[in-house]
Amino acid sequence: MRYFALLCLLVCCMVAYASESGQSRAEMAGRSLIGQPAPRVVVKTIDGQTIDLGALYGKKAVYLKFWATWCVPCREQMPHFERSYEQAGPDMAVIAIDVGFDDSVEEVRKAQKQLGLGMPIVFDDGSLGEAFHLRVTPQHVVIGRDGRILYVGHEANDKLDAALAQARSRSSAQMASAAAPKDEPHYDVGDRVPAFNVQTLSGASLPAFGAKAGKPTVLLFLSPWCESYIATSRPALAQSCRAARERADVLARDNHAQWLGIASGLWASREVLADYQREHHIAMPLALDDSGALFRRFRVMHVPTVIVLDEQGKVLRRSEDVDAALPSQQSAVTVR
């Protein structure tokens, strides 16, 4: 009985910690957005409906919820979100934004049916997450009728409800000029990437390519929670993440290329990534892409993803399979 009570207490503490961490991460990410004009973007729902967010500003408040089908608190909060949609009325638009990260439209449709979701659902390509500083799931964004961002948070609580009520009452008489989202460059196979450095967990600033004469750079895009958090809900994906990490770590020791692990900033921190590195004895340098800039630059929406750059920064290969992306001399290396 005492063991059971301690176990329950531990679980409750873990849930409380995750909730607090999520709320603080969302608020910190959204701090620079509060009071700013919301981005003017046009989105398309999974049902083919086009929604011009900019056209809504000045007419309606807007409530966006960023979520993912693999996200447990997202599903737990869905009754609150569906209720908000049903009670929105003519002065508020409620839109679900699947973050698109390690998700699919097929999975979204399944969740839509299972959870009985009636609101419009958008499948993001990363651009909305970029515009609204996505760091956690779920992440709530509330935009007032004046077109300014009023609230960014993680929990479905009184603060969110108060923001939704306030958003409706915001006067549209002095509507903010809707901001255009940043147009960042993106790189695919065959493109040449401008030189940039990567800040690793050790504090070193490493060039993303060209550090080893005549040798390519292999960027392994990963998530430190992929192997554990979704081991039950997405076992194949968790296994893929584990296999990629194990294979990459072996190949990184053979000095045929410069290896860099780039971790997503979604639900991760330097501490979490450092624990992941220690737990698995990962030898290659790891860096946290806290803002998601590198994931966006290479349009990475799934982990693991491998990007191979030559000495001059040309993108040679891209794959979700480590061996398929590697130069021939490395892919021939066997695990010993």
Side-chain angles (χ1 to χ4, degrees):
M1 180 65 72
R2 177 179 296 180
Y3 172 78
F4 180 74
L6 288 173
L7 180 61
C8 289
L9 178 61
L10 176 61
V11 171
C12 290
C13 289
M14 289 174 65
V15 171
Y17 171 77
S19 179
E20 179 183 1
S21 175
Q23 183 69 13
S24 61
R25 283 176 63 82
E27 290 180 352
M28 185 176 299
R31 191 170 297 162
S32 63
L33 296 176
I34 302 302
Q36 297 300 311
R40 179 184 292 276
V41 289
V42 178
V43 299
K44 182 170 286 188
T45 71
I46 60 173
D47 298 317
Q49 177 187 2
T50 298
I51 303 175
D52 184 347
L53 293 183
L56 297 177
Y57 306 151
K59 302 174 183 176
K60 298 184 177 185
V62 177
Y63 173 22
L64 307 176
K65 175 180 177 176
F66 288 85
W67 68 296
T69 63
W70 43 259
C71 166
V72 173
C74 296
R75 288 175 173 266
E76 292 173 345
Q77 291 185 20
M78 277 306 181
H80 176 279
F81 191 51
E82 180 66 25
R83 187 165 59 251
S84 298
Y85 169 69
E86 293 172 351
Q87 299 174 355
D91 58 350
M92 175 174 284
V94 178
I95 305 169
I97 312 291
D98 184 278
V99 299
F101 189 77
D102 277 319
D103 229 337
S104 67
V105 173
E106 180 184 3
E107 289 293 335
V108 172
R109 291 191 187 281
K110 285 168 56 178
Q112 181 185 36
K113 184 176 181 179
Q114 291 170 353
L115 300 172
L117 305 180
M119 77 286 295
I121 302 177
V122 173
F123 192 80
D124 190 22
D125 62 359
S127 57
L128 285 174
E130 172 190 350
F132 291 100
H133 296 190
L134 180 68
R135 293 293 184 277
V136 295
T137 52
Q139 185 160 304
H140 308 280
V141 178
V142 181
I143 302 167
R145 288 180 59 210
D146 60 356
R148 294 186 182 276
I149 297 174
L150 178 65
Y151 176 80
V152 178
H154 167 70
E155 298 178 36
N157 56 13
D158 292 342
K159 291 176 70 174
L160 173 60
D161 290 337
L164 291 172
Q166 186 180 354
R168 296 171 182 270
S169 63
R170 280 283 181 104
S171 172
S172 59
Q174 295 183 339
M175 191 186 75
S177 299
K182 294 185 297 182
D183 185 17
E184 290 190 344
H186 301 93
Y187 304 102
D188 211 331
V189 174
D191 294 336
R192 193 170 298 281
V193 181
F196 66 95
N197 284 9
V198 176
Q199 191 78 22
T200 69
L201 284 181
S202 67
S205 181
L206 300 180
F209 53 85
K212 297 183 178 181
K215 296 180 180 179
T217 293
V218 185
L219 304 178
L220 173 63
F221 288 84
L222 56 90
S223 288
W225 44 262
C226 178
E227 299 178 41
S228 54
Y229 182 74
I230 58 176
T232 301
S233 60
R234 301 282 180 85
L237 178 57
Q239 170 60 28
S240 177
C241 289
R242 180 167 56 255
R245 186 255 305 162
E246 291 174 346
R247 181 65 171 152
D249 203 42
V250 168
L251 294 172
R253 299 171 192 269
D254 285 282
N255 203 35
H256 288 292
Q258 174 187 357
W259 281 78
L260 288 171
I262 310 295
S264 167
L266 185 65
W267 273 120
S269 64
R270 290 180 62 85
E271 292 74 21
V272 168
L273 186 57
D275 288 342
Y276 176 73
Q277 186 175 41
R278 283 191 295 269
E279 178 184 357
H280 298 293
H281 309 287
I282 300 172
M284 67 176 149
L286 296 183
L288 180 68
D289 187 21
D290 190 47
S291 68
L294 292 178
F295 272 71
R296 293 192 300 271
R297 186 176 301 179
F298 292 100
R299 295 187 183 276
V300 176
M301 295 300 291
H302 298 279
V303 292
T305 290
V306 182
I307 304 287
V308 182
L309 307 174
D310 70 10
E311 192 178 1
Q312 286 74 43
K314 181 179 180 180
V315 182
L316 299 177
R317 301 175 186 84
R318 176 193 182 103
S319 178
E320 293 179 18
D321 178 82
V322 172
D323 286 321
L326 295 183
S328 57
Q329 67 266 31
Q330 261 215 302
S331 57
V333 177
T334 57
V335 178
R336 290 186 284 274

